[in-house]
Amino acid sequence: DAGITQSPRYKITETGRQVTLMCHQTWSHSYMFWYRQDLGHGLRLIYYSAAADITDKGEVPDGYVVSRSKTENFPLTLESATRSQTSVYFCASSSVAGSQETQYFGPGTRLLVL
Amino acid sequence: DQQVKQNSPSLSVQEGRISILNCDYTNSMFDYFLWYKKYPAEGPTFLISISSIKDKNEDGRFTVFLNKSAKHLSLHIVPSQPGDSAVYFCAASRYPEKLVFGKGTKLTVNP
């Protein structure tokens, strides 16, 4: 399917486990982003990538690792999950850098850390 | 330090009436503003945007107004429909910085 997809859509894990959330886009967009959405905080940027092998931290990067070996994929790894990482995670992509930046979002992954 | 603020967590309007969602920002260097709509269990979807060189942009029932002197933008939906019930996020950007989102306003349109 064309567009941006995320997997899994729902995930339950335990504290201390490693979890990887997948993101795939078919538009060949250069830019990809990971956000988390929490009540009272809106959307907060975790990491972003301007191109393959180029990544940078966002507002809340602690506890997360990203990689981007291929343009279309941007996985997010929680190295040792904590309860505070229970959230809804959104991946997004955009083709344009800078001001005229319209991002397109995936459907989200709802993560529960027990 | 919240750069983009949506001070109303929720808004309820009657079908057919106007919905006005507000957003304030603190960074005068922002030069592009967007509104996203989000339904439950879905990702946000782009709705409408405006460049800082304009003060109004219209797309069908949706109009965004920008008041740079007040650092304020608003989204008008006329007429409101039950399908417009969603969470609306305001976002702003300034090259080369990334988008900054507000916390969102939940709009409920009652039939």
PDB file of all heavy atoms in Angstrom, chain B residues 2 4 6 13 22-23 27-28 33 35 40-41 52 54-55 71 75-77 80 88 91 96 98 107 110-111:
ATOM      1  N   GLN B   2       6.618  26.638  26.315  1.00  0.00           N
ATOM      2  CA  GLN B   2       5.753  26.216  25.238  1.00  0.00           C
ATOM      3  C   GLN B   2       5.678  27.305  24.186  1.00  0.00           C
ATOM      4  O   GLN B   2       5.190  28.407  24.455  1.00  0.00           O
ATOM      5  CB  GLN B   2       4.365  25.927  25.804  1.00  0.00           C
ATOM      6  CG  GLN B   2       3.529  24.983  24.993  1.00  0.00           C
ATOM      7  CD  GLN B   2       2.178  24.741  25.640  1.00  0.00           C
ATOM      8  OE1 GLN B   2       1.984  25.082  26.808  1.00  0.00           O
ATOM      9  NE2 GLN B   2       1.255  24.200  24.904  1.00  0.00           N
ATOM     10  N   VAL B   4       4.093  27.072  21.187  1.00  0.00           N
ATOM     11  CA  VAL B   4       2.804  27.076  20.508  1.00  0.00           C
ATOM     12  C   VAL B   4       1.754  26.638  21.525  1.00  0.00           C
ATOM     13  O   VAL B   4       1.857  25.555  22.094  1.00  0.00           O
ATOM     14  CB  VAL B   4       2.803  26.115  19.299  1.00  0.00           C
ATOM     15  CG1 VAL B   4       1.435  26.075  18.641  1.00  0.00           C
ATOM     16  CG2 VAL B   4       3.869  26.540  18.290  1.00  0.00           C
ATOM     17  N   GLN B   6      -2.300  26.129  22.632  1.00  0.00           N
ATOM     18  CA  GLN B   6      -3.726  26.022  22.361  1.00  0.00           C
ATOM     19  C   GLN B   6      -4.379  25.991  23.731  1.00  0.00           C
ATOM     20  O   GLN B   6      -4.369  24.974  24.414  1.00  0.00           O
ATOM     21  CB  GLN B   6      -4.049  24.771  21.547  1.00  0.00           C
ATOM     22  CG  GLN B   6      -3.458  24.821  20.144  1.00  0.00           C
ATOM     23  CD  GLN B   6      -3.745  23.559  19.364  1.00  0.00           C
ATOM     24  OE1 GLN B   6      -2.869  22.728  19.192  1.00  0.00           O
ATOM     25  NE2 GLN B   6      -4.970  23.442  18.867  1.00  0.00           N
ATOM     26  N   VAL B  13     -19.699  22.756  19.720  1.00  0.00           N
ATOM     27  CA  VAL B  13     -20.548  23.637  18.914  1.00  0.00           C
ATOM     28  C   VAL B  13     -21.696  22.835  18.318  1.00  0.00           C
ATOM     29  O   VAL B  13     -21.628  21.599  18.235  1.00  0.00           O
ATOM     30  CB  VAL B  13     -19.756  24.331  17.790  1.00  0.00           C
ATOM     31  CG1 VAL B  13     -18.641  25.188  18.359  1.00  0.00           C
ATOM     32  CG2 VAL B  13     -19.230  23.321  16.798  1.00  0.00           C
ATOM     33  N   ASN B  22      -8.435  28.376  18.355  1.00  0.00           N
ATOM     34  CA  ASN B  22      -7.399  29.397  18.507  1.00  0.00           C
ATOM     35  C   ASN B  22      -6.037  28.812  18.851  1.00  0.00           C
ATOM     36  O   ASN B  22      -5.941  27.736  19.460  1.00  0.00           O
ATOM     37  CB  ASN B  22      -7.807  30.388  19.591  1.00  0.00           C
ATOM     38  CG  ASN B  22      -9.031  31.188  19.198  1.00  0.00           C
ATOM     39  OD1 ASN B  22      -9.026  31.859  18.174  1.00  0.00           O
ATOM     40  ND2 ASN B  22     -10.073  31.122  20.009  1.00  0.00           N
ATOM     41  N   CYS B  23      -5.020  29.553  18.465  1.00  0.00           N
ATOM     42  CA  CYS B  23      -3.642  29.141  18.705  1.00  0.00           C
ATOM     43  C   CYS B  23      -2.786  30.386  18.876  1.00  0.00           C
ATOM     44  O   CYS B  23      -2.909  31.332  18.098  1.00  0.00           O
ATOM     45  CB  CYS B  23      -3.162  28.310  17.513  1.00  0.00           C
ATOM     46  SG  CYS B  23      -1.480  27.710  17.615  1.00  0.00           S
ATOM     47  N   ASN B  27       7.190  32.626  19.410  1.00  0.00           N
ATOM     48  CA  ASN B  27       8.385  32.866  18.601  1.00  0.00           C
ATOM     49  C   ASN B  27       8.020  33.672  17.351  1.00  0.00           C
ATOM     50  O   ASN B  27       7.382  33.155  16.434  1.00  0.00           O
ATOM     51  CB  ASN B  27       9.014  31.529  18.204  1.00  0.00           C
ATOM     52  CG  ASN B  27      10.360  31.691  17.539  1.00  0.00           C
ATOM     53  OD1 ASN B  27      10.718  32.776  17.075  1.00  0.00           O
ATOM     54  ND2 ASN B  27      11.134  30.618  17.497  1.00  0.00           N
ATOM     55  N   SER B  28       8.417  34.913  17.312  1.00  0.00           N
ATOM     56  CA  SER B  28       8.061  35.773  16.180  1.00  0.00           C
ATOM     57  C   SER B  28       8.784  35.386  14.894  1.00  0.00           C
ATOM     58  O   SER B  28       8.476  35.905  13.825  1.00  0.00           O
ATOM     59  CB  SER B  28       8.367  37.234  16.519  1.00  0.00           C
ATOM     60  OG  SER B  28       9.740  37.383  16.814  1.00  0.00           O
ATOM     61  N   PHE B  33       2.665  28.118   9.309  1.00  0.00           N
ATOM     62  CA  PHE B  33       1.754  27.604  10.314  1.00  0.00           C
ATOM     63  C   PHE B  33       0.805  26.594   9.682  1.00  0.00           C
ATOM     64  O   PHE B  33       0.364  26.763   8.545  1.00  0.00           O
ATOM     65  CB  PHE B  33       0.950  28.750  10.940  1.00  0.00           C
ATOM     66  CG  PHE B  33       1.811  29.826  11.525  1.00  0.00           C
ATOM     67  CD1 PHE B  33       2.252  30.875  10.736  1.00  0.00           C
ATOM     68  CD2 PHE B  33       2.210  29.769  12.854  1.00  0.00           C
ATOM     69  CE1 PHE B  33       3.076  31.863  11.261  1.00  0.00           C
ATOM     70  CE2 PHE B  33       3.019  30.748  13.390  1.00  0.00           C
ATOM     71  CZ  PHE B  33       3.462  31.791  12.598  1.00  0.00           C
ATOM     72  N   TRP B  35      -2.452  23.500  10.431  1.00  0.00           N
ATOM     73  CA  TRP B  35      -3.437  22.840  11.283  1.00  0.00           C
ATOM     74  C   TRP B  35      -3.544  21.379  10.845  1.00  0.00           C
ATOM     75  O   TRP B  35      -3.626  21.075   9.643  1.00  0.00           O
ATOM     76  CB  TRP B  35      -4.806  23.505  11.172  1.00  0.00           C
ATOM     77  CG  TRP B  35      -4.914  24.806  11.892  1.00  0.00           C
ATOM     78  CD1 TRP B  35      -4.712  26.052  11.375  1.00  0.00           C
ATOM     79  CD2 TRP B  35      -5.240  25.003  13.276  1.00  0.00           C
ATOM     80  NE1 TRP B  35      -4.895  27.007  12.350  1.00  0.00           N
ATOM     81  CE2 TRP B  35      -5.225  26.391  13.514  1.00  0.00           C
ATOM     82  CE3 TRP B  35      -5.559  24.141  14.329  1.00  0.00           C
ATOM     83  CZ2 TRP B  35      -5.515  26.942  14.769  1.00  0.00           C
ATOM     84  CZ3 TRP B  35      -5.839  24.690  15.570  1.00  0.00           C
ATOM     85  CH2 TRP B  35      -5.820  26.075  15.781  1.00  0.00           C
ATOM     86  N   PRO B  40      -9.710   9.659  16.565  1.00  0.00           N
ATOM     87  CA  PRO B  40      -9.234   8.601  17.460  1.00  0.00           C
ATOM     88  C   PRO B  40      -8.677   7.410  16.689  1.00  0.00           C
ATOM     89  O   PRO B  40      -9.217   7.028  15.660  1.00  0.00           O
ATOM     90  CB  PRO B  40     -10.495   8.218  18.244  1.00  0.00           C
ATOM     91  CG  PRO B  40     -11.359   9.423  18.191  1.00  0.00           C
ATOM     92  CD  PRO B  40     -11.105  10.051  16.857  1.00  0.00           C
ATOM     93  N   ALA B  41      -7.578   6.865  17.177  1.00  0.00           N
ATOM     94  CA  ALA B  41      -6.940   5.671  16.613  1.00  0.00           C
ATOM     95  C   ALA B  41      -6.392   5.895  15.203  1.00  0.00           C
ATOM     96  O   ALA B  41      -6.145   4.932  14.470  1.00  0.00           O
ATOM     97  CB  ALA B  41      -7.892   4.477  16.621  1.00  0.00           C
ATOM     98  N   SER B  52       3.610  33.102   6.667  1.00  0.00           N
ATOM     99  CA  SER B  52       3.588  34.344   7.443  1.00  0.00           C
ATOM    100  C   SER B  52       3.438  35.593   6.577  1.00  0.00           C
ATOM    101  O   SER B  52       3.194  36.680   7.097  1.00  0.00           O
ATOM    102  CB  SER B  52       4.861  34.465   8.283  1.00  0.00           C
ATOM    103  OG  SER B  52       5.993  34.497   7.447  1.00  0.00           O
ATOM    104  N   LYS B  54       1.065  35.930   4.514  1.00  0.00           N
ATOM    105  CA  LYS B  54      -0.373  36.072   4.298  1.00  0.00           C
ATOM    106  C   LYS B  54      -1.079  36.275   5.626  1.00  0.00           C
ATOM    107  O   LYS B  54      -0.538  35.980   6.690  1.00  0.00           O
ATOM    108  CB  LYS B  54      -0.931  34.834   3.596  1.00  0.00           C
ATOM    109  CG  LYS B  54      -0.376  34.614   2.200  1.00  0.00           C
ATOM    110  CD  LYS B  54      -1.067  33.423   1.571  1.00  0.00           C
ATOM    111  CE  LYS B  54      -0.584  33.207   0.137  1.00  0.00           C
ATOM    112  NZ  LYS B  54      -1.281  32.060  -0.510  1.00  0.00           N
ATOM    113  N   ASP B  55      -2.325  36.736   5.557  1.00  0.00           N
ATOM    114  CA  ASP B  55      -3.101  36.827   6.781  1.00  0.00           C
ATOM    115  C   ASP B  55      -4.357  35.969   6.740  1.00  0.00           C
ATOM    116  O   ASP B  55      -5.081  35.851   7.730  1.00  0.00           O
ATOM    117  CB  ASP B  55      -3.463  38.276   7.114  1.00  0.00           C
ATOM    118  CG  ASP B  55      -4.171  38.966   5.958  1.00  0.00           C
ATOM    119  OD1 ASP B  55      -4.693  38.267   5.069  1.00  0.00           O
ATOM    120  OD2 ASP B  55      -4.207  40.214   5.952  1.00  0.00           O
ATOM    121  N   LYS B  71       0.575  37.551  17.377  1.00  0.00           N
ATOM    122  CA  LYS B  71       1.104  36.190  17.407  1.00  0.00           C
ATOM    123  C   LYS B  71      -0.037  35.202  17.662  1.00  0.00           C
ATOM    124  O   LYS B  71       0.009  34.381  18.598  1.00  0.00           O
ATOM    125  CB  LYS B  71       2.196  36.041  18.467  1.00  0.00           C
ATOM    126  CG  LYS B  71       3.437  36.889  18.228  1.00  0.00           C
ATOM    127  CD  LYS B  71       4.545  36.470  19.188  1.00  0.00           C
ATOM    128  CE  LYS B  71       5.777  37.341  19.038  1.00  0.00           C
ATOM    129  NZ  LYS B  71       5.531  38.720  19.508  1.00  0.00           N
ATOM    130  N   LEU B  75      -8.476  28.958  13.364  1.00  0.00           N
ATOM    131  CA  LEU B  75      -9.075  28.109  12.335  1.00  0.00           C
ATOM    132  C   LEU B  75     -10.585  28.242  12.456  1.00  0.00           C
ATOM    133  O   LEU B  75     -11.139  27.995  13.523  1.00  0.00           O
ATOM    134  CB  LEU B  75      -8.652  26.651  12.523  1.00  0.00           C
ATOM    135  CG  LEU B  75      -9.308  25.635  11.589  1.00  0.00           C
ATOM    136  CD1 LEU B  75      -8.836  25.854  10.154  1.00  0.00           C
ATOM    137  CD2 LEU B  75      -9.010  24.204  12.043  1.00  0.00           C
ATOM    138  N   HIS B  76     -11.215  28.638  11.354  1.00  0.00           N
ATOM    139  CA  HIS B  76     -12.663  28.761  11.310  1.00  0.00           C
ATOM    140  C   HIS B  76     -13.233  27.641  10.451  1.00  0.00           C
ATOM    141  O   HIS B  76     -12.748  27.415   9.326  1.00  0.00           O
ATOM    142  CB  HIS B  76     -13.084  30.116  10.740  1.00  0.00           C
ATOM    143  CG  HIS B  76     -12.721  31.271  11.623  1.00  0.00           C
ATOM    144  ND1 HIS B  76     -13.482  32.429  11.658  1.00  0.00           N
ATOM    145  CD2 HIS B  76     -11.712  31.460  12.504  1.00  0.00           C
ATOM    146  CE1 HIS B  76     -12.943  33.273  12.509  1.00  0.00           C
ATOM    147  NE2 HIS B  76     -11.863  32.699  13.051  1.00  0.00           N
ATOM    148  N   ILE B  77     -14.242  26.988  10.971  1.00  0.00           N
ATOM    149  CA  ILE B  77     -14.925  25.938  10.221  1.00  0.00           C
ATOM    150  C   ILE B  77     -16.388  26.347  10.087  1.00  0.00           C
ATOM    151  O   ILE B  77     -17.097  26.500  11.096  1.00  0.00           O
ATOM    152  CB  ILE B  77     -14.833  24.577  10.947  1.00  0.00           C
ATOM    153  CG1 ILE B  77     -13.372  24.232  11.252  1.00  0.00           C
ATOM    154  CG2 ILE B  77     -15.451  23.479  10.094  1.00  0.00           C
ATOM    155  CD1 ILE B  77     -13.203  22.979  12.119  1.00  0.00           C
ATOM    156  N   SER B  80     -20.050  23.961  10.594  1.00  0.00           N
ATOM    157  CA  SER B  80     -19.507  22.790  11.270  1.00  0.00           C
ATOM    158  C   SER B  80     -20.403  21.571  11.028  1.00  0.00           C
ATOM    159  O   SER B  80     -21.627  21.685  10.967  1.00  0.00           O
ATOM    160  CB  SER B  80     -19.409  23.057  12.781  1.00  0.00           C
ATOM    161  OG  SER B  80     -18.572  24.163  13.033  1.00  0.00           O
ATOM    162  N   TYR B  88      -7.795  18.930  17.049  1.00  0.00           N
ATOM    163  CA  TYR B  88      -7.105  19.799  16.105  1.00  0.00           C
ATOM    164  C   TYR B  88      -5.802  20.300  16.726  1.00  0.00           C
ATOM    165  O   TYR B  88      -5.792  20.865  17.815  1.00  0.00           O
ATOM    166  CB  TYR B  88      -7.999  20.971  15.714  1.00  0.00           C
ATOM    167  CG  TYR B  88      -9.150  20.536  14.847  1.00  0.00           C
ATOM    168  CD1 TYR B  88     -10.276  19.943  15.416  1.00  0.00           C
ATOM    169  CD2 TYR B  88      -9.116  20.685  13.477  1.00  0.00           C
ATOM    170  CE1 TYR B  88     -11.340  19.509  14.636  1.00  0.00           C
ATOM    171  CE2 TYR B  88     -10.168  20.261  12.679  1.00  0.00           C
ATOM    172  CZ  TYR B  88     -11.271  19.671  13.269  1.00  0.00           C
ATOM    173  OH  TYR B  88     -12.306  19.242  12.477  1.00  0.00           O
ATOM    174  N   ALA B  91       0.386  23.910  14.509  1.00  0.00           N
ATOM    175  CA  ALA B  91       1.830  23.698  14.446  1.00  0.00           C
ATOM    176  C   ALA B  91       2.483  24.889  13.762  1.00  0.00           C
ATOM    177  O   ALA B  91       1.862  25.572  12.953  1.00  0.00           O
ATOM    178  CB  ALA B  91       2.161  22.408  13.705  1.00  0.00           C
ATOM    179  N   PRO B  96      15.735  26.467   9.891  1.00  0.00           N
ATOM    180  CA  PRO B  96      15.654  25.040   9.591  1.00  0.00           C
ATOM    181  C   PRO B  96      15.103  24.201  10.728  1.00  0.00           C
ATOM    182  O   PRO B  96      15.292  22.993  10.773  1.00  0.00           O
ATOM    183  CB  PRO B  96      17.110  24.686   9.355  1.00  0.00           C
ATOM    184  CG  PRO B  96      17.836  25.530  10.352  1.00  0.00           C
ATOM    185  CD  PRO B  96      17.037  26.811  10.476  1.00  0.00           C
ATOM    186  N   LYS B  98      12.417  22.255  13.245  1.00  0.00           N
ATOM    187  CA  LYS B  98      11.321  21.338  12.973  1.00  0.00           C
ATOM    188  C   LYS B  98       9.990  21.928  13.438  1.00  0.00           C
ATOM    189  O   LYS B  98       9.947  22.930  14.132  1.00  0.00           O
ATOM    190  CB  LYS B  98      11.564  20.010  13.699  1.00  0.00           C
ATOM    191  CG  LYS B  98      12.846  19.323  13.280  1.00  0.00           C
ATOM    192  CD  LYS B  98      12.851  18.983  11.810  1.00  0.00           C
ATOM    193  CE  LYS B  98      13.880  19.797  11.041  1.00  0.00           C
ATOM    194  NZ  LYS B  98      13.862  19.526   9.585  1.00  0.00           N
ATOM    195  N   LEU B 107     -12.531  19.166  19.389  1.00  0.00           N
ATOM    196  CA  LEU B 107     -13.775  19.770  18.904  1.00  0.00           C
ATOM    197  C   LEU B 107     -14.877  18.716  18.845  1.00  0.00           C
ATOM    198  O   LEU B 107     -14.674  17.632  18.283  1.00  0.00           O
ATOM    199  CB  LEU B 107     -13.563  20.368  17.509  1.00  0.00           C
ATOM    200  CG  LEU B 107     -14.818  20.882  16.801  1.00  0.00           C
ATOM    201  CD1 LEU B 107     -15.396  22.084  17.552  1.00  0.00           C
ATOM    202  CD2 LEU B 107     -14.522  21.245  15.348  1.00  0.00           C
ATOM    203  N   ASN B 110     -22.093  18.858  17.753  1.00  0.00           N
ATOM    204  CA  ASN B 110     -23.326  18.152  18.146  1.00  0.00           C
ATOM    205  C   ASN B 110     -24.390  18.277  17.071  1.00  0.00           C
ATOM    206  O   ASN B 110     -24.636  19.363  16.574  1.00  0.00           O
ATOM    207  CB  ASN B 110     -23.842  18.729  19.464  1.00  0.00           C
ATOM    208  CG  ASN B 110     -22.831  18.596  20.584  1.00  0.00           C
ATOM    209  OD1 ASN B 110     -22.397  17.499  20.899  1.00  0.00           O
ATOM    210  ND2 ASN B 110     -22.449  19.718  21.168  1.00  0.00           N
ATOM    211  N   PRO B 111     -25.021  17.131  16.726  1.00  0.00           N
ATOM    212  CA  PRO B 111     -26.070  17.165  15.688  1.00  0.00           C
ATOM    213  C   PRO B 111     -27.276  17.986  16.150  1.00  0.00           C
ATOM    214  O   PRO B 111     -27.548  18.098  17.333  1.00  0.00           O
ATOM    215  CB  PRO B 111     -26.440  15.689  15.504  1.00  0.00           C
ATOM    216  CG  PRO B 111     -25.330  14.919  16.111  1.00  0.00           C
ATOM    217  CD  PRO B 111     -24.741  15.788  17.195  1.00  0.00           C
TER     218      PRO B 111
END
